[in-house]
Amino acid sequence: DAKTTQPTSMDCAEGRAANLPCNHSTISGNEYVYWYRQIHSQGPQYIIHGLKNNETNEMASLIITEDRKSSTLILPHATLRDTAVYYCIVRVYSGGGADGLTFGKGTHLIIQP
Amino acid sequence: DTGVSQNPRHKITKRGQNVTFRCDPISEHNRLYWYRQTLGQGPEFLTYFQNEAQLEKSRLLSDRFSAERPKGSFSTLEIQRTEQGDSAMYLCASQPPGTNYGYTFGSGTRLTVV
């Protein structure tokens, strides 16, 4: 799986959009971009994933650049409960599911009141 | 179904003792994963089951670690002769068959070896 680079930490004001960048310059054509987050003392929570096109769900939007070398996770209206470590992961969908996800250290997002 | 359930939530054990953790995945999920997370680090993959078959094991899974999923439902992770370096959060995740959807993680079991 390709390696990802994320900032160690970020701050965002409550109610504003939080934009979390991820660099994955060595991504290959069949690798998806996944985002998870982990709130303190809980297990990771799946947020969203995509291959080429931008994706949106009830939690967030995922913007993938045209060359797929970077992406941005957008939390449109951040709340204090969005304070967490956010992990960007790229992986091949192997169909059989045998590949474990490779988590880095992620970005610690702190939402300020 | 309330998601992935892990028991116990916390376990304190003396060095050298054996411990066993249990994971109950979401009922229709045939894929089950175990991860370990130490303080300040992201989760690290340990092993993967598809139904009852253990299909992949990380090199992190030493001989003291064993995992089972006897009927393709719940899974257990046993650590024999625990060491202080085994202190970590042990996370279980499950995933539905034939999909690239994200995993659903449990809340984990926090192991402290004293």
Side-chain angles (χ1 to χ4, degrees):
Chain A
D1 295 337
K3 183 177 177 179
T4 62
T5 304
Q6 299 178 254
T8 302
S9 64
M10 293 181 62
D11 288 352
C12 179
E14 188 177 17
R16 305 297 294 268
N19 296 276
L20 292 94
C22 180
N23 183 289
H24 32 79
S25 58
T26 60
I27 193 170
S28 58
N30 60 349
E31 287 186 308
Y32 288 76
V33 180
Y34 286 81
W35 284 84
Y36 285 76
R37 73 180 182 183
Q38 188 171 24
I39 295 169
H40 183 60
S41 297
Q42 297 182 20
Q45 177 189 23
Y46 164 77
I47 301 172
I48 198 167
H49 75 283
L51 182 63
K52 295 180 185 178
N53 300 320
N54 298 337
E55 302 288 344
T56 295
N57 63 21
E58 66 278 5
M59 289 183 68
S61 295
L62 173 60
I63 308 298
I64 302 174
T65 58
E66 193 169 343
D67 64 8
R68 303 207 326 120
K69 292 186 176 182
S70 65
S71 61
T72 301
L73 179 75
I74 301 172
L75 308 178
H77 305 287
T79 71
L80 296 178
R81 289 180 295 181
D82 292 321
T83 292
V85 178
Y86 287 76
Y87 297 100
C88 169
I89 301 164
V90 296
R91 75 171 283 225
V92 175
Y93 171 52
S94 64
D99 295 331
L101 295 172
T102 301
F103 288 80
K105 292 191 175 182
T107 296
H108 188 193
L109 176 66
I110 299 171
I111 306 301
Q112 304 283 0
Chain B
D1 198 343
T2 56
V4 177
S5 175
Q6 291 190 247
N7 288 288
R9 286 298 310 275
H10 303 275
K11 178 72 177 179
I12 300 174
T13 190
K14 291 183 178 179
R15 189 174 51 186
Q17 297 294 305
N18 300 344
V19 294
T20 300
F21 312 137
R22 177 177 171 126
C23 171
D24 288 90
I26 293 173
S27 57
E28 62 268 25
H29 290 189
N30 70 334
R31 300 177 190 170
L32 186 146
Y33 304 82
W34 283 99
Y35 282 79
R36 180 177 72 182
Q37 185 173 25
T38 54
L39 204 61
Q41 304 296 317
E44 297 172 294
F45 170 74
L46 291 178
T47 190
Y48 159 69
F49 288 86
Q50 184 166 308
N51 299 311
E52 67 276 7
Q54 188 174 17
L55 297 184
E56 187 175 356
K57 291 195 290 187
S58 162
R59 58 180 172 78
L60 293 174
L61 212 66
S62 75
D63 292 345
R64 297 184 295 106
F65 288 69
S66 62
E68 294 182 342
R69 195 182 182 196
K71 296 183 180 179
S73 55
F74 73 92
S75 176
T76 58
L77 178 68
E78 181 183 15
I79 309 174
Q80 295 182 327
R81 305 180 303 281
T82 52
E83 302 172 356
Q84 286 190 320
D86 297 330
S87 295
M89 175 76 83
Y90 289 84
L91 294 159
C92 176
S94 68
Q95 186 184 30
T99 177
N100 62 349
Y101 202 70
Y103 300 174
T104 302
F105 280 85
S107 295
T109 294
R110 167 80 58 192
L111 173 67
T112 303
V113 181
V114 297

